[in-house]
Each structure stands twice: as structure tokens, then as C-alpha cells.
Amino acid sequence: MPVAVTSEAVEEKVIETIVSFGGPEGEITRASTFEQLDVDSLDLVEIAQVIEEEFGIALKGDDVKDIKTVGEAIDLVVSRA
Amino acid sequence: MGRPVAITGVGAITPLGMGARTLFERWAAGQVGIVDGEAPCSDFDPVAALGPKTARRTDRFAQFALAASDEALTDAGWLAPPDTDSESTPSGSPQPTPPGGAKSAPDSLTYASDRIGCVIGTGIGGIGTIETQQDVLRDRGAKRVSALSVPLLMSNAAAGTVAMRHSLQGQSFGVVSACAAGAHAIGTAVRMIQAGDADAVVTGGSEAALTGLARAGFASMGATSELGVSRPFDARRDGFIMGEGAGILVLEDLESATARGARVLAVVRGYGASSDAFHLTAPEPEGRGAVRAIEAALADAGVAPEELDYVNAHGTSTPLNDRAETLALKTALGDAAFGVPVSSTKSAIGHLLGAAGAVEAIATVLALRERLAPPTLGFAEREDGLDLDYVPDSARPLGNGRPAIGMSNSFGFGGHNAVLVLEAT
């Protein structure tokens, strides 16, 4: 059963996933850019898979290709709920 | 013989531990890295060696190659010795790092980065990733298969990620020839330098195939030892022991290496390769393909059989290989075959498949430098016709004063044979 989509829940999941990729724990904010975090297009697809599994929201490659920041990613997921 | 090629750095991750010299010293001391019929690299911690980001984005076979490449480039003086833990902990303020987790900028290298190649062999590539993602596909569906699957599992991933890590922008590719891949990679790298296509090449082999499918496949064909013992050339041998790991070497044009004041470990005197064109897995029973490779390597080196001080055998501990290899040595070397010490690294670490040729070339280099032939461990019972000097029991001093010359044999399923002739400096 997918988890309810709130901005807080999505933020927590996205940050947790980036930390699991080796991102700096405790330092990731909505303003962090994926470039700063060394998250590339392959990592973004992995994050999208985690989001789909957790929240039941499917994102395609085209959806995420222009996303630059953690906040934009969270907003995109919430807007699709 | 073309332009002489120098070996200026070596690195290895093996079942005997971390480091090329650890491998040689422990093998020469009679230690064995085989536990319960298998030879894993138990001391290897990918996150500690490479950091969490690179570790997540690489299959184990590429992880071995990356870690061994750090050692080899440091050994060659291309990299400063590592800061403790700086790679393994996330930095306080996140900085973008080049893909592959690169730690060295091009200007820290000795040669123009586009004049440095990277050629790394493997038998299978990322088979651990293939099996894991096949499980995901079957159990959770296509949409859950990782986007990193293909870049992790591809057989050229070690070459690609090592090139990225060290900004090597010359020719780069993987070499695939089963258990000869490591030696083929080195030979290819030598030719690349001799042809003038590169001034230096980071080369070697890597394998991480201690997985369910590989284990079952080798067992089904009767290649691996049911008794769980590696004892090459012994009458009781019943198959090889699966191992894993990587060996990486830094090769440089000898003249350029000397000009930069590099410490030269050894010179690659010759390389020869051939194909049995006989059977998918069995060697040609008389070892004719191996003979052609040995003869070609000696001719390339300008070395006569009686000048060899040491032979590092392929010596898998399978009934067929060790007999065919012995016959091949006798045919190719003539009477000199009976006078040269022949030992097998696989007696200590099992069979590293596509990494074997590179790890064993490194072991040969160190044996020649130390003037010490490590033993074929476990060898005790002679078999009719297997009558060479296999260096039983303990290591044996080599030599007669001049720089020692040795040969390293590698033969792979598919009938691939690759032989290197090396000389210590």
C-alpha cells in the first residue's frame, strides 16, 4: 500500500535515498543541487524507482531530465499525487 | 623486439590480502588463501577502499580493479600515497567529483592524459550484478531493474571506471578471453606502446565470479575440484579452486620511464599468443597451441629457453591443463624444461579466471626481482609424464647473478593462449 504523498514524506524519502547513495548526511536541503550532490541521470532514475515503489507515483525520464534541485524533485512528485 | 616496455607499478587484490607485495610475500612463505574450497578476497572492503558512491556504482569486479589501480599508480609514482580515510568519508561540503570517483587530476599524471591507455581483461565481467538484477526482474518486475544494471555488468566496466578514476584519455577497452584475459590485456597494452599509440597504459585483469551461477556452471562441467583442494601438477589433482581479485600494472615506454627517473620493476621482453582452435574448453592434448604461444613469446623476447630462470605456470590443478601444459613446456623449451623451476600461483590463491594472467604476471615480476621462486603448494605425488621441477614444499632462490628472466603462461576456455616473457631490472 503506497504511503500518503505529503511534501514532508517525499522530502524525507528523497534525502534518505541520496544519503544511501553516499550523499552527505544532515546537509541535504531542498536547495541542494543534484550537481553538488554528484547525483547524475542514472541516479535520478534510481530515485524515481524508489519514489514509485514508496508512493505509487511513476516518473519518466523526460519528467526528471530538467530537474536541478532536491526541492524541484519533491515538488514534481507532490504535483503528480 | 619493438620498443622496450617497462613495468613501473603493480597493484593486486587477492585472496591472500590487499596488495601486490602481500600476495608475493605470503605465497612465498607458503600461505594459502583458500577457505572451504573457495578463494574469496575476504580483506577487501569496497566502501573503505573506494567510498560509498563509487562502491554503489560498480560491480565487485570493477571495484577490485579500481582499488588495485590506486595501488599500481601510487607504486609507479603517478599518485601521492593516499590520505587516510579521505576517500571513505563523505566530505563536509559536497563537491562534484568526476564520474567513477576520480581522485587524480590529469596534471598529476606523468604523461599527457590522452597518451595513456587503459586495457583491462576479465573472464565474465559483472556476473554478480547480472544475477542480482535477474532476481529483481523475476521477483519484482522490469520496472524495478536498476538503471545501473548495464553499466555495472558490462565486461568493459573495469576499463571504463579505471580510466575515469584516473583521467586516462587514451585508448581504453576491455579484453575478454576467459582465463587468458589478464595476460592478453598486458600483451595488448605492450603492443599499444610499441606501436606508438600510447606512451603508457594502465592494464591488467579483474574477476569477481564467486556467484551461484558461475559456481554451478563450473561444477557442472567438472572443472572445479570436488575435494576443494588446489594442487597443480600433483597426481591427485581433481579440478581448480575458484578465486577472485584483480591485478593492475602500469606500463610505460622504457625510454620515457627512464627519462622521468622512474623506478623500473621489470621489462616486458616478449609476448606471444595463439589459439588452439580445437575445443570449447579442453586444451589440445599435446599442448600445441600453448607451444606456439610460448615459442612466439620467446622469439619476440629474443630469449633462448635455457636463459629462462623461472616459469610461472598456468597450472590450474585440472587433470587436462596440467598435463597439456607440461607437454607444451617440454616441446617448446626442449631439455631446458627440466632445468627451470615451474610453479603455480593457483596453488595459493586458486584460479582468478580473467584476473589470473595479470595477478600471476605481477607475482612473476616480484619473484624475478626477489630472485625467489615461490612453491607449488600441495604438490607431493608425481604422475607419469609430469616430471618437471614444480618447486615443491618451499620457495627456492633463483639465479645466477644477472637480472632474472621469467615466463608467465595463461590459457583460457575457448582455446586462447597468451604468454609473457619478463625480465627484472
Side-chain angles (χ1 to χ4, degrees):
Chain A
M1 192 64 191
V3 174
V5 183
T6 64
S7 186
E8 292 72 23
V10 174
E11 182 172 330
E12 188 181 340
K13 197 69 198 173
V14 168
I15 290 174
E16 175 192 313
T17 304
I18 296 170
V19 168
S20 78
F21 290 177
E25 196 161 5
E27 294 177 26
I28 302 169
T29 68
R30 289 179 55 94
S32 304
T33 68
F34 291 117
E35 190 181 357
Q36 284 172 331
L37 295 169
D38 198 14
V39 168
D40 70 4
S41 59
L42 294 169
D43 294 326
L44 278 177
V45 175
E46 299 255 298
I47 293 170
Q49 288 175 320
V50 171
I51 292 295
E52 179 168 357
E53 186 148 32
E54 184 80 3
F55 301 104
I57 294 168
L59 301 173
K60 292 198 166 50
D62 273 2
D63 297 330
V64 296
K65 71 177 168 38
D66 294 325
I67 298 278
K68 298 276 189 282
T69 67
V70 171
E72 288 168 16
I74 294 163
D75 293 343
L76 175 69
V77 174
V78 173
S79 76
R80 296 290 173 86
Chain B
M1 190 166 67
R3 289 206 298 177
V5 174
I7 298 170
T8 57
V10 291
I13 310 294
T14 77
L16 278 173
M18 305 289 288
R21 282 152 189 91
T22 301
L23 162 71
F24 177 76
E25 287 161 14
R26 291 185 176 168
W27 175 28
Q31 293 184 37
V32 173
I34 298 164
V35 181
D36 296 333
E38 242 174 37
C41 293
S42 305
D43 290 350
F44 181 69
D45 177 344
V47 174
L50 304 169
K53 166 107 184 161
T54 301
R56 185 181 72 88
R57 291 167 61 97
T58 43
D59 183 87
R60 186 169 173 85
F61 95 102
Q63 293 170 358
F64 288 145
L66 287 164
S69 76
D70 285 355
E71 181 192 354
L73 267 65
T74 304
D75 192 39
W78 287 15
L79 288 179
D83 300 337
T84 45
D85 293 341
S86 67
E87 276 297 295
S88 58
T89 50
S91 61
S93 55
Q95 297 282 329
T97 56
K103 60 193 285 185
S104 55
D107 62 4
S108 71
L109 299 178
T110 309
Y111 301 94
S113 55
D114 64 356
R115 295 287 301 163
I116 307 174
C118 183
V119 181
I120 299 179
T122 185
I124 315 178
I127 188 169
T129 298
I130 293 174
E131 292 182 32
T132 304
Q133 293 299 318
Q134 174 64 35
D135 288 346
V136 172
L137 175 63
R138 184 188 55 237
D139 298 340
R140 299 168 62 202
K143 291 173 78 175
R144 295 288 179 272
V145 170
S146 171
L148 292 165
S149 301
V150 172
L152 263 71
L153 69 84
M154 60 192 188
S155 300
N156 56 310
T161 52
V162 168
M164 276 184 267
R165 184 171 183 82
H166 303 296
S167 301
L168 313 176
Q169 296 178 327
Q171 293 184 42
S172 171
F173 49 86
V175 168
V176 178
S177 56
C179 307
H184 269 125
I186 296 168
T188 302
V190 168
R191 293 292 186 253
M192 197 182 279
I193 293 171
Q194 290 177 334
D197 290 341
D199 295 326
V201 182
V202 176
T203 186
S206 189
E207 199 77 68
L210 298 181
T211 69
L213 180 59
R215 210 176 270 132
F218 282 123
S220 291
M221 65 187 286
T224 40
S225 168
E226 284 190 24
L227 297 170
V229 181
S230 180
R231 47 186 160 210
F233 304 107
D234 186 285
R236 300 161 295 170
R237 69 192 185 281
D238 74 329
F240 71 78
I241 293 292
M242 291 178 70
E244 62 172 1
I248 299 290
L249 304 88
V250 175
L251 303 190
E252 303 180 37
D253 169 55
L254 177 62
E255 197 176 314
S256 307
T258 306
R260 76 171 180 91
R263 177 213 50 190
V264 174
L265 295 171
V267 171
V268 183
R269 288 285 301 267
Y271 166 60
S274 70
S275 176
D276 283 4
F278 172 75
H279 186 269
L280 262 180
T281 56
E284 196 282 325
E286 302 294 319
R288 289 191 184 93
V291 168
R292 289 197 305 278
I294 292 168
E295 289 177 345
L298 289 172
D300 188 45
V303 166
E306 46 280 3
E307 290 181 90
L308 288 174
D309 297 295
Y310 171 60
V311 173
N312 186 289
H314 187 57
T316 56
S317 187
T318 62
L320 291 178
N321 175 82
D322 295 0
R323 173 160 286 272
E325 184 172 15
T326 296
L327 280 170
L329 285 168
K330 289 196 268 191
T331 304
L333 305 183
D335 288 345
F338 296 97
V340 64
V342 176
S343 67
S344 168
T345 313
K346 295 180 183 76
S347 66
I349 59 173
H351 194 344
L352 270 53
L353 309 175
V359 166
E360 292 166 17
I362 291 169
T364 304
V365 165
L366 298 177
L368 299 174
R369 287 183 66 78
E370 300 297 325
R371 309 193 72 85
L372 191 66
T376 301
L377 298 166
F379 175 83
E381 270 186 38
R382 285 207 174 269
E383 178 175 305
D384 274 355
L386 273 64
D387 48 2
L388 302 179
D389 173 4
Y390 300 114
V391 196
D393 303 324
S394 58
R396 175 112 42 88
L398 286 178
N400 53 19
R402 64 166 169 71
I405 299 175
M407 183 169 78
S408 179
N409 289 343
S410 296
F411 312 127
F413 284 172
H416 314 293
N417 310 300
V419 176
L420 295 161
V421 176
L422 306 163
E423 179 174 5
T425 49

